[in-house]
Amino acid sequence: MLIIGHQTVAGLLEGREREVIDLVADAYRRHDEGRTSLPHSVFLRFPDRPRDRIIGLPGYLGGSADGGEDDIAGMKWIASFPGNIASGVQRASAAILLNNLRNGQPEALIEGSLISAQRTAASAAVGARTLLGGRRPSGITLIGCGVINREVLRFLAVEHPGLDRLAVYDTDPERARKFTQDNARLLPSATVRHCDTLDDALATHDLVSLATTAATPHTSLDACPPGTVVLHVSLRDLTVRAVLDAHNVVDDPDHVCRENTSVHLAELATGGRDFIDASIGALLRGTATLAPRPGKPLVYSPFGLGVLDLALARFVRDRARAGGLGSEVADFLPAPAA
């Protein structure tokens, strides 16, 4: 068993944003081609603690057609405890277990919080690229100043290196100020605006990333400029009307229409999914097209498919093995029968 800790994962992913974006886009294409197996995520919840949860994301991702990458299977086990933030502990913690597909045995255990955050951010970058359709955004607005939007900013800065305007909003203004202080290097030439209200933030730029801990819908998109691209990463911010009044792209309709996401609530309200325009994998492959109406918001709601975690975990595992990194535990599994 190869065990790879957080600092090693961080070192292996540092400066690899473009590769990570490509890995995520490729995983979406393979999913749309039917080269994955992706059961629904399992949500472990606790009595009288509605904000806390631990989620299990099992999956299988087929290898590359040229044989350059092996098939991979495994599971991410990720905890989300929003109350951690007040005590200086990260909201999310995760571990990823990879299995050997020759014999089914577990072969790698990888600390997964950074992999989870970066695959989410890379997914947002892929969504922004696809929904913007080649146009240059006026700037980036981040709503929610935590780890996820830090990574979203990192990946959008790579995807749009010429951007020079950033707006931020958080329900805790001090957290927003600390966020921009700590992460100014990611967009070093940007003019930063700290917004006083959510509507002010939504009105500032035409590329918005929502990464909050909201458990129920709380905002419309009425304040947004025409044609705003909204990366609805946290999935539960938008009202049903906001969803229905927008063009909607998702990663997988069956996965995102669960667990009271805004898209799920819109499905319950309408009795169907006709308001979903396309999946991101189909748009990337060209098997679907998006013809947005002028002025209408474009909302990308990625549930977060486990195959994205597997793609990045395989990348980390392979680079760790090549560099002799991580810790091998020789007696983790039972000894072969004599």
Side-chain angles (χ1 to χ4, degrees):
M1 169 70 80
L2 176 64
I3 298 177
I4 307 173
H6 177 80
Q7 291 302 320
T8 301
V9 172
L12 292 171
L13 290 176
E14 185 176 3
R16 301 282 179 165
E17 288 85 4
R18 290 200 180 278
E19 288 172 86
V20 171
I21 290 171
D22 289 344
L23 286 170
V24 165
D26 182 62
Y28 277 142
R29 292 187 188 95
R30 296 188 203 189
H31 182 60
D32 189 65
E33 291 169 356
R35 295 167 60 197
T36 64
S37 179
L38 201 61
H40 281 307
S41 305
V42 176
F43 283 71
L44 175 62
R45 300 188 185 276
F46 309 96
D48 304 320
R49 296 167 61 182
R51 298 181 70 202
D52 297 340
R53 63 186 187 269
I54 307 178
I55 311 171
L57 289 82
Y60 160 80
L61 177 64
S64 58
D66 61 6
E69 291 177 327
D70 295 332
D71 297 6
I72 193 73
M75 182 169 183
K76 179 175 74 171
W77 186 240
I78 180 166
S80 175
F81 282 55
N84 286 354
I85 296 172
S87 58
V89 177
Q90 287 193 9
R91 173 187 62 84
S93 57
I96 300 172
L97 182 68
L98 301 181
N99 292 80
N100 185 316
L101 283 175
R102 293 189 301 276
N103 55 28
Q105 292 183 337
E107 64 176 5
L109 180 64
I110 306 170
E111 197 284 323
S113 62
L114 187 57
I115 287 174
S116 186
Q118 289 207 3
R119 65 81 152 149
T120 300
S123 170
V126 171
R129 176 201 300 169
T130 306
L131 271 63
L132 284 167
R135 65 184 168 97
R136 185 179 186 274
S138 63
I140 302 170
T141 295
L142 303 178
I143 297 172
C145 294
V147 171
I148 297 300
N149 257 345
R150 179 195 70 200
E151 294 303 319
V152 169
L153 177 60
R154 183 193 309 280
F155 279 80
L156 290 179
V158 170
E159 190 71 14
H160 303 279
L163 286 178
D164 57 4
R165 286 188 283 179
L166 171 67
V168 298
Y169 172 76
D170 195 281
T171 54
D172 181 348
E174 181 56 35
R175 187 186 302 140
R177 283 190 291 271
K178 188 173 188 309
F179 177 91
T180 55
Q181 177 183 327
D182 292 347
N183 298 293
R185 68 190 185 283
L186 298 178
L187 215 61
S189 61
T191 300
V192 179
R193 178 180 178 183
H194 288 86
C195 300
D196 295 326
T197 67
L198 177 56
D199 277 353
D200 183 25
L202 290 170
T204 302
H205 295 305
D206 60 359
L207 177 58
V208 175
S209 176
L210 281 158
T212 76
T213 58
T216 56
H218 61 91
T219 188
S220 72
L221 296 176
D222 294 344
C224 290
T228 295
V229 170
V230 179
L231 309 173
H232 190 202
V233 177
S234 39
L235 292 175
R236 294 171 178 83
D237 302 271
L238 302 184
T239 64
V240 168
R241 185 176 69 82
V243 172
L244 298 180
D245 287 347
H247 290 290
N248 291 279
V249 174
V250 302
D251 50 6
D252 185 296
D254 288 335
H255 284 261
V256 78
C257 289
R258 298 182 69 223
E259 296 294 327
N260 293 322
T261 66
S262 294
V263 177
H264 183 204
L265 296 177
E267 179 191 34
L268 295 176
T270 62
R273 300 176 181 175
D274 291 345
F275 60 90
I276 297 177
D277 293 83
S279 71
I280 191 69
L283 292 176
L284 290 170
R285 293 183 61 225
T287 57
T289 58
L290 188 63
R293 286 168 45 194
K296 197 172 182 179
L298 297 94
V299 175
Y300 177 47
S301 299
F303 190 73
L305 305 182
V307 290
L308 308 184
D309 300 285
L310 295 181
L312 267 65
R314 173 173 54 195
F315 177 76
V316 167
R317 180 204 65 190
D318 291 349
R319 294 193 71 219
R321 282 179 172 167
L325 302 174
S327 301
E328 290 279 3
V329 179
D331 60 352
F332 182 84
L333 295 170

